PDB file of all heavy atoms in Angstrom:
ATOM      1  N   ASP A 107       6.053   1.728   4.580  1.00 99.00           N
ATOM      2  CA  ASP A 107       4.747   1.130   4.294  1.00 99.00           C
ATOM      3  C   ASP A 107       4.698   0.808   2.800  1.00 99.00           C
ATOM      4  O   ASP A 107       5.007   1.671   1.971  1.00 99.00           O
ATOM      5  CB  ASP A 107       3.661   2.156   4.666  1.00 99.00           C
ATOM      6  CG  ASP A 107       2.234   1.640   4.553  1.00 99.00           C
ATOM      7  OD1 ASP A 107       2.043   0.434   4.317  1.00 99.00           O
ATOM      8  OD2 ASP A 107       1.306   2.471   4.711  1.00 99.00           O
ATOM      9  N   HIS A 170      -1.313   8.444   2.293  1.00 98.00           N
ATOM     10  CA  HIS A 170      -1.029   9.280   3.469  1.00 98.00           C
ATOM     11  C   HIS A 170       0.434   9.690   3.526  1.00 98.00           C
ATOM     12  O   HIS A 170       1.308   8.991   2.998  1.00 98.00           O
ATOM     13  CB  HIS A 170      -1.381   8.482   4.731  1.00 98.00           C
ATOM     14  CG  HIS A 170      -0.780   7.102   4.748  1.00 98.00           C
ATOM     15  ND1 HIS A 170       0.420   6.830   5.344  1.00 98.00           N
ATOM     16  CD2 HIS A 170      -1.187   5.927   4.180  1.00 98.00           C
ATOM     17  CE1 HIS A 170       0.704   5.539   5.163  1.00 98.00           C
ATOM     18  NE2 HIS A 170      -0.247   4.960   4.446  1.00 98.00           N
ATOM     19  N   GLU A 203      -1.088   4.798  -2.584  1.00 99.00           N
ATOM     20  CA  GLU A 203      -1.574   3.420  -2.579  1.00 99.00           C
ATOM     21  C   GLU A 203      -2.931   3.235  -3.240  1.00 99.00           C
ATOM     22  O   GLU A 203      -3.943   3.057  -2.566  1.00 99.00           O
ATOM     23  CB  GLU A 203      -1.606   2.876  -1.155  1.00 99.00           C
ATOM     24  CG  GLU A 203      -2.269   3.727  -0.099  1.00 99.00           C
ATOM     25  CD  GLU A 203      -2.248   3.024   1.269  1.00 99.00           C
ATOM     26  OE1 GLU A 203      -2.478   1.802   1.311  1.00 99.00           O
ATOM     27  OE2 GLU A 203      -2.011   3.688   2.287  1.00 99.00           O
ATOM     28  N   GLU A 234       1.253  -0.153  -3.362  1.00 99.00           N
ATOM     29  CA  GLU A 234       1.661   0.976  -2.516  1.00 99.00           C
ATOM     30  C   GLU A 234       3.172   1.037  -2.369  1.00 99.00           C
ATOM     31  O   GLU A 234       3.828   0.017  -2.145  1.00 99.00           O
ATOM     32  CB  GLU A 234       1.056   0.820  -1.110  1.00 99.00           C
ATOM     33  CG  GLU A 234       1.541   1.869  -0.103  1.00 99.00           C
ATOM     34  CD  GLU A 234       0.956   1.679   1.296  1.00 99.00           C
ATOM     35  OE1 GLU A 234       0.674   0.530   1.689  1.00 99.00           O
ATOM     36  OE2 GLU A 234       0.795   2.691   1.996  1.00 99.00           O
TER      37      GLU A 234
HETATM   38 CO1   CO B 302      -0.398   2.904   3.669  1.00 95.79          CO
END
Side-chain angles (χ1 to χ4, degrees):
D107 186 7
H170 50 94
E203 49 179 319
E234 174 181 31

